[in-house]
Amino acid sequence: MYRSRSARSASFHDPGTRFAESERIEGAGSWDALEWTKIEPISRSVSQGIKKFLLPAEQVIVEGNGIVLVNTDEAGTLFVTNFRLLFLSEGSRDIIALGTISLTTIEKFNKMVMKLPSASRHSDKNPSRRLLQVIGKDMRIIVFGFRPRTKQRRAVYNALLKWTRPTRLWDLFAFVSGPLMFCNMDPKVRLLNEYFRLLGLGTYHASMSTIEDVSFTLSNELWRISSVNFNYSMCSTYPFALLIPKSISDDEIQQACTFRARCRLPAITWCHPGTGAVLARSSQPLVGLMMNLRSNTDEKLVAALCTQFAGGQRRKLYIADARPRKNALANGAMGGGSESSSNYFQSEIVFFGIDNIHAMRESLARLRDYLDTHGTTSSDGMSSFLRHGGWTWGGGNLSSMSASVSTLGDTGWLIHVQSVLAGSAWIAARVALESASVLVHCSDGWDRTTQLVSLASLLLDPYYRTIKGFQALVEKDWLAFGHPFSDRAGLPTLSGSGNMPSELTRQVSVGSISPLRQMSGSSASQTQNSSHGQNNCSPIFLQWVDCVSQLLRMYPCAFEFSSAFLVEVLDCMLSCRFGNFLCNSEKERQQASISDACGCLWMYLADLRASEGSLHVHYNIFYDPLKHGGALLPPAAALAPTLWPQFHLRWACPSEAQVGEVEAQCRSLTKRFSDMQQAKETAEARMKEMSAEMKSLSVDLQNEKLVSSSARDSAKRANRECVAIKRAVQSLGCKVYISTDGDCSVGIESNATEIPQNSLYTPSRHEKEGSFQLDDNSDHSRSVSIMPDDPPESPFTQVCESLCPMRTREGGCRWPNAGCTRLGSQFVGLKANFEAFDRLSIFDSYFESQ
C-alpha cells in the first residue's frame, strides 16, 4: 500500500517547487504520482551557496536542480564534485548526510525507470519516473528522482562513470588535495618505533637517518630486526624491516621464504614481554598436491619461534590455519596446502573455518539489503511499517516477523564476525594462558590472517587499545604487512589497473517499485557469483573494525577510543580522502610517494580531537586503563555479536543508531562538570590575584599611614615652633596677624600703643636700582616681607639680611637660635624699632611650647 500524497514531506510544497492546482492528481497515490513535469526549478541560485560546503581542492563537476531524495522525500540540488555526491536541501540549504557520499565509497549505481501500473487511469498523463540508485560500501542504498526531459540524470550518471572508478591512481582526491595541513611522517619510522617497543627498547627512537643508514637492526635476547627485505627484493608485499628469531640468519630467511606462497615467510608480529611467547604470521606452505613437500629452513625458522622456558622445557607451538579444512586441502591442487604436525616439532594444527573474501562480500550485500528493506529510510521511500499492507515491520504477524529475523541470520554477516572473534580469542588465550607461540596463516596471509593476528594483539596488549596504539596496530599488521586495500576497495593501483566490477555496467529495470530493491539483491548477487575471478573487492577491513566494535561493546572500560572513532576511520578509509590506505603494499606506497603527496588520516583525526581535548567524541568517557591492564580473554558465551548500530543502522534507522544516548548524556555532564571545574579554577586564580593585590594595597596603605603619621608629626612640630615664635614676637611688643590665605604679618612698633600697619614691604624705585639708603631723619618703621629662603639669592632674603638688627658687621647673626629662616614660605612683615631689639635680652625660654 503506497503512501498518500498528504504523507509526503513538506519539501514538495515549498514555494520553490510548485504544482499547478488544476493539475494535481486526485486520490491517494504513491510518490510515483508526482507530476515531475510540473516542478519548476528553484528561482535562486544554489551554486554560490555551495562554496562554503566544499573542501579545499574540491570542485563541482555537475549540478542538478529539482532532484528528490526518495529515501526521505526531500527535494534539493545534487552536486557531483571530484570527491563526492553532495545533496543540498532545498528548504534548509544544508547538506543532507544520507544523500552525500564520497565517490570511492560508491560500490555501484544503476539507472532505473519506473512506470505506474497500466491499470491506472493516470498512466497516459504521467511519464516514466527517472531514478538513479546509488549503493554504497557503507551500508546505504540511495535513490534520487530526476525530472524527465532535463538530461540531468544522464549528466550525473556520466560523471559518476568517470569519477567513481578512476583508471589512474593519481586521479584520486587524495592526490588532488595534497597533504595540506595534515602532513604525514614516514610510516616506516613509526613501524621501527613499534618494533623497538616490542623488543623492550623504548629508549630508542627511529628517524629517517636511521632508515637511510640501515642502523635499525637492533635486538634483544631472543629476537632481532632484520633488513633482509630492505629493498623489497625478497617479498614485495612485506615491510622493509622484519622481526625474526635472533638465531636465524638472513641467508636462512631468504631460503625459507621460497617455501611459502608469495614468499611471505613466518615473521613475528607481536611478542610477550614476560614469557617470550610470540604471534607470527605467514602465508600457506607450498607442500604440493600430495602434501609431502618439506623445507628444512622453514621448519627451523618455525621451530625458532618456540623458545625454551626457564626450566629448559620447550614451549608449545600452535599453527592456526584460518581456512576451512576442505579449502586448505583444495589449495593443494595449486601447490599450496597446510603444514603437517609431524614435520614441526611439538606443534598442533588448528583450522578456524573462516570463509573467503567472496563470501564476506556477498554476506555484507545481503545485510545491506536487509537493512534497507526493514529500515525507516528505505530506498523506495516507504517505511517498513507500511510495506505489504501491514502496520508494523514484517507484515504485522508473528510468523512474518520471525521470517524477517531469519532473514538477518541468513545474511551470514554476524556468523562471520563471530568466527573471527572466536578465532582471535582462542589465539589470545593460548598465548596468555599457556605461554604458547602461535603461527597464523590462510592462503596468501593478508586477509583472514591479518584479521586474526591484529585482533589477537588487541586482546593481548593494552597499548593497542589506546588511540596511539590502535594507529600503530593498523599500520603494522594491515599496512606494512601488505593487506591489498586497493584491490579490496576496487581502486586503481600503482600500475594503473584497478578492479572494475561488472556491476558498474548500465542496468535498467522496468516495473513497479519492487524490482528497485531486487536489483541490489538477487540480480546483483547473480552477477557477483559469476564474476568471482574478476571481482576481488571485499569488506575485510570493515569486518575487522566491526569485530573491534563488538569488543568495545563487551568491554566498555578497556578502550580509550569510542565507536565514533571507529566509524570515522572507516569513513576516511572508504572515501580515499587521505593516502594512508591507498595501494596494496608498503612498497607501492613508497614508489607512489604517498606520504609526501597525500594527507595523513592520523594527523586529521588528531586535529579533530585537539579542538575539544578529552571531551571529544572520539574518546571513550568510560575508559579506565587500570580496570583492564592485562589481556582480555572473552569466554565463548560472550562472543555473540549484534548489529553495530553506529555503523550498520545509521542510514537505514538513524534514530535507532543513536544507541549511545547514555554515553552522550554522560559526555554532556562531563563537559558541564569540566566547564564548571574550569570556571572554578579561573575563579580561584582570580581570587589569588585579588588576594595578592589586597596584600599589596595593604602594604601601600601601611606605608601611606607611616608617611601620613610622619607628616602629622612634622606639622605638629612646625605648629609648635610657630606658636613659640609667635609668643616670642609678642613678648617683644609685636602683634602677629595671620590672614586667611596663610600670610603672616608681624608688626613691631616703637610705640607699644601704636597699632602696626599690616602691610607688605615693597621696595621703592631707588631700592630696585640698588641705591637703597637709610635716612636718619626718616621714620625707622619699615614694612618688611620675608620670603621663603629656598633660593639663597632671593632679593627678599637679601633685604631681610640687610635690615636685620641682629646682623653683625662680620656678617654673622647675634641670634642664631631664633630660627628666623625656618619660617619657610611665610611672608613676615616687620615694622621694627631696631633700637628696641638692642635693648632686649632674649632667652630660649620664649620658644618653649606652652
Side-chain angles (χ1 to χ4, degrees):
M1 174 176 154
Y2 298 118
R3 284 180 290 180
S4 65
R5 195 167 169 161
S6 60
R8 291 194 52 78
S9 168
S11 60
F12 291 108
H13 302 285
D14 190 90
T17 306
R18 301 189 300 271
F19 297 93
E21 187 67 25
S22 60
E23 295 174 333
R24 289 181 180 176
I25 299 177
E26 299 177 356
S30 69
W31 60 270
D32 301 295
L34 282 175
E35 295 194 20
W36 299 82
T37 55
K38 301 304 179 183
I39 298 180
E40 298 180 2
I42 303 173
S43 59
R44 57 182 181 274
S45 175
V46 188
S47 299
Q48 298 298 326
I50 191 61
K51 293 182 179 179
K52 63 179 179 181
F53 299 112
L54 297 179
L55 300 173
E58 186 177 10
Q59 299 177 352
V60 176
I61 300 170
V62 174
E63 175 182 347
N65 297 304
I67 297 174
V68 175
L69 179 61
V70 175
N71 303 61
T72 57
D73 295 339
E74 292 185 83
T77 306
L78 181 65
F79 299 88
V80 181
T81 72
N82 57 344
F83 173 59
R84 55 183 167 172
L85 269 179
L86 195 152
F87 187 74
L88 193 65
S89 172
E90 176 186 318
S92 64
R93 322 307 300 167
D94 291 329
I95 291 179
I96 303 301
L98 175 61
T100 301
I101 181 173
S102 60
L103 300 181
T104 55
T105 307
I106 298 175
E107 182 176 329
K108 53 188 175 181
F109 51 93
N110 309 305
K111 284 183 178 180
M112 308 191 73
V113 179
M114 306 304 299
K115 291 184 177 180
L116 289 173
S118 57
S120 174
R121 59 179 178 176
H122 302 292
S123 58
D124 56 338
K125 297 173 57 180
N126 294 278
S128 300
R129 311 295 173 244
R130 269 62 174 176
L131 306 177
L132 179 65
Q133 182 192 55
V134 177
I135 301 175
K137 303 171 188 175
D138 58 351
M139 308 302 297
R140 58 177 145 179
I141 300 177
I142 317 169
V143 175
F144 295 103
F146 296 80
R147 293 176 295 161
R149 294 188 292 273
T150 60
K151 299 183 179 180
Q152 290 188 120
R153 185 180 68 163
R154 179 184 301 178
V156 171
Y157 183 84
N158 292 338
L160 292 179
L161 278 178
K162 177 180 179 181
W163 291 91
T164 53
R165 295 295 184 272
T167 57
R168 301 184 310 163
L169 180 66
W170 329 110
D171 295 331
L172 293 173
F173 184 74
F175 285 93
V176 177
S177 61
L180 295 176
M181 59 183 295
F182 309 115
C183 297
N184 186 12
M185 182 180 71
D186 197 309
K188 290 183 177 181
V189 176
R190 295 193 290 266
L191 177 63
L192 287 179
N193 286 330
E194 177 59 16
Y195 280 167
F196 294 160
R197 188 190 72 87
L198 292 175
L199 294 178
L201 306 174
T203 56
Y204 290 86
H205 297 283
S207 62
M208 289 305 300
S209 60
T210 306
I211 299 175
E212 294 170 357
D213 301 339
V214 197
S215 57
F216 54 82
T217 55
L218 306 179
S219 65
N220 61 11
E221 296 81 2
L222 300 175
W223 325 111
R224 70 182 180 93
I225 303 174
S226 173
S227 60
V228 66
N229 196 42
F230 184 76
N231 296 320
Y232 309 102
S233 57
M234 183 187 71
C235 179
S236 62
T237 58
Y238 260 17
F240 76 105
L242 297 174
L243 198 59
I244 61 174
K246 191 175 182 179
S247 59
I248 304 297
S249 65
D250 286 350
D251 291 337
E252 290 173 322
I253 291 294
Q254 291 179 339
Q255 294 176 19
C257 74
T258 59
F259 187 68
R260 296 283 170 169
R262 303 183 187 274
C263 295
R264 295 174 64 90
L265 76 160
I268 298 171
T269 183
W270 186 82
C271 51
H272 196 287
T275 64
V278 298
L279 280 177
R281 58 182 298 168
S282 70
S283 60
Q284 63 181 344
L286 302 179
V287 297
L289 180 61
M290 304 304 296
M291 308 285 288
N292 58 356
L293 298 180
R294 300 178 59 180
S295 171
N296 293 331
T297 53
D298 182 78
E299 294 173 10
K300 181 180 179 180
L301 173 59
V302 174
L305 299 176
C306 300
T307 57
Q308 294 182 351
F309 291 108
Q313 182 183 2
R314 198 174 189 84
R315 72 179 72 246
K316 189 172 183 179
L317 170 68
Y318 289 96
I319 300 178
D321 194 327
R323 302 165 294 180
R325 183 186 294 270
K326 62 179 181 179
N327 291 17
L329 296 176
N331 272 272
M334 297 179 289
S338 186
E339 297 88 349
S340 173
S341 58
S342 60
N343 297 335
Y344 295 88
F345 178 75
Q346 204 169 346
S347 65
E348 181 179 343
I349 313 298
V350 181
F351 293 92
F352 287 162
I354 301 175
D355 286 327
N356 59 21
I357 61 173
H358 308 294
M360 303 303 175
R361 179 181 64 247
E362 294 167 1
S363 176
L364 186 67
R366 289 192 295 269
L367 177 62
R368 181 175 53 209
D369 290 339
Y370 166 80
L371 294 175
D372 183 61
T373 301
H374 300 290
T376 57
T377 57
S378 301
S379 59
D380 60 359
M382 181 179 296
S383 173
S384 59
F385 293 97
L386 303 177
R387 190 171 287 110
H388 307 304
W391 55 270
T392 184
W393 68 280
N397 57 74
L398 183 60
S399 60
S400 59
M401 286 198 298
S402 301
S404 298
V405 175
S406 300
T407 304
L408 174 61
D410 292 342
T411 64
W413 180 258
L414 298 181
I415 300 299
H416 295 315
V417 170
Q418 186 177 26
S419 298
V420 177
L421 282 171
S424 303
W426 186 91
I427 294 172
R430 302 288 76 76
V431 176
L433 301 180
E434 300 181 19
S435 298
S437 294
V438 182
L439 171 63
V440 185
H441 70 76
C442 52
S443 296
D444 295 319
W446 53 38
D447 289 313
R448 289 165 284 192
T449 299
T450 304
Q451 287 180 323
L452 292 170
V453 168
S454 57
L455 203 59
S457 300
L458 193 75
L459 291 170
L460 289 168
D461 197 336
Y463 172 71
Y464 292 137
R465 299 195 286 270
T466 65
I467 291 179
K468 184 178 179 181
F470 185 83
Q471 171 188 342
L473 179 66
V474 170
E475 291 194 312
K476 173 173 63 72
D477 282 323
W478 287 89
L479 295 170
F481 276 91
H483 175 69
F485 278 98
S486 287
D487 287 347
R488 297 298 174 260
L491 299 174
T493 59
L494 185 63
S495 59
S497 59
N499 290 315
M500 297 297 292
S502 57
E503 290 87 353
L504 287 178
T505 57
R506 178 173 178 174
Q507 303 180 29
V508 178
S509 173
V510 179
S512 63
I513 195 66
S514 298
L516 174 64
R517 183 174 310 284
Q518 296 173 1
M519 282 305 303
S520 63
S522 59
S523 61
S525 301
Q526 295 173 3
T527 307
Q528 292 171 349
N529 291 333
S530 63
S531 60
H532 278 175
Q534 293 77 26
N535 187 4
N536 289 322
C537 298
S538 187
I540 300 301
F541 183 72
L542 187 155
Q543 187 180 56
W544 178 76
V545 177
D546 193 349
C547 293
V548 176
S549 74
Q550 304 294 335
L551 294 177
L552 178 58
R553 175 182 56 83
M554 287 186 279
Y555 301 98
C557 300
F559 295 85
E560 184 186 18
F561 49 82
S562 65
S563 183
F565 172 80
L566 298 177
V567 173
E568 190 76 36
V569 170
L570 275 180
D571 286 343
C572 291
M573 185 273 294
L574 294 173
S575 68
C576 295
R577 181 181 174 185
F578 305 99
N580 301 74
F581 297 101
L582 299 182
C583 302
N584 289 325
S585 64
E586 181 183 274
K587 176 184 177 181
E588 290 186 3
R589 281 185 288 273
Q590 177 177 306
Q591 291 175 339
S593 300
I594 295 293
S595 58
D596 297 328
C598 303
C600 178
L601 163 67
W602 312 115
M603 296 297 295
Y604 167 72
L605 297 179
D607 184 69
L608 289 181
R609 295 191 299 272
S611 61
E612 299 181 26
S614 60
L615 295 178
H616 193 271
V617 70
H618 288 176
Y619 286 103
N620 178 16
I621 61 174
F622 304 113
Y623 175 57
D624 184 3
L626 300 179
K627 187 174 182 179
H628 298 285
L632 300 178
L633 302 176
L639 299 176
T642 62
L643 289 178
W644 180 13
Q646 289 88 342
F647 184 78
H648 292 142
L649 302 181
R650 60 172 171 167
W651 306 121
C653 308
S655 59
E656 287 72 18
Q658 306 300 325
V659 294
E661 292 184 0
V662 175
E663 180 180 351
Q665 291 292 334
C666 291
R667 194 180 302 278
S668 176
L669 293 175
T670 303
K671 188 175 187 308
R672 290 177 58 188
F673 176 78
S674 177
D675 293 341
M676 294 174 66
Q677 189 73 15
Q678 186 176 3
K680 176 186 174 183
E681 293 175 357
T682 303
E684 289 177 349
R686 179 58 182 164
M687 184 179 66
K688 290 180 180 179
E689 293 178 1
M690 294 178 66
S691 178
E693 291 178 359
M694 289 178 64
K695 290 181 179 179
S696 177
L697 291 174
S698 298
V699 173
D700 293 342
L701 181 60
Q702 190 68 21
N703 294 335
E704 290 294 333
K705 286 182 178 179
L706 293 176
V707 173
S708 177
S709 177
S710 176
R712 285 197 302 268
D713 293 341
S714 299
K716 289 179 180 179
R717 288 195 300 270
N719 185 46
R720 287 196 297 268
E721 292 175 357
C722 290
V723 171
I725 293 173
K726 179 179 179 182
R727 289 172 54 199
V729 172
Q730 287 178 348
S731 67
L732 297 176
C734 302
K735 290 186 179 180
V736 181
Y737 302 96
I738 300 176
S739 63
T740 56
D741 58 356
D743 291 337
C744 179
S745 299
V746 180
I748 303 177
E749 300 286 344
S750 58
N751 186 0
T753 60
E754 182 179 354
I755 300 177
Q757 296 180 2
N758 185 13
S759 61
L760 294 176
Y761 172 74
T762 302
S764 62
R765 179 176 59 87
H766 297 287
E767 294 170 341
K768 291 180 180 180
E769 296 173 354
S771 58
F772 177 82
Q773 295 181 357
L774 287 176
D775 189 356
D776 296 339
N777 298 326
S778 64
D779 189 0
H780 288 213
S781 180
R782 294 288 186 268
S783 178
V784 181
S785 294
I786 301 177
M787 297 296 293
D789 59 346
D790 291 338
E793 295 79 6
S794 174
F796 295 98
T797 304
Q798 297 175 1
V799 173
C800 179
E801 293 176 354
S802 62
L803 298 180
C804 182
M806 307 305 297
R807 182 177 178 84
T808 63
R809 296 177 180 177
E810 292 79 12
C813 182
R814 301 177 183 176
W815 196 8
N817 297 326
C820 60
T821 59
R822 299 178 189 175
L823 298 178
S825 60
Q826 295 182 359
F827 292 94
V828 180
L830 295 178
K831 195 170 184 182
N833 188 333
F834 298 114
E835 296 178 354
F837 274 96
D838 293 336
R839 294 193 297 267
L840 287 176
S841 176
I842 306 300
F843 300 96
D844 293 339
S845 61
Y846 287 107
F847 298 95
E848 295 180 357
S849 59
Q850 293 179 351

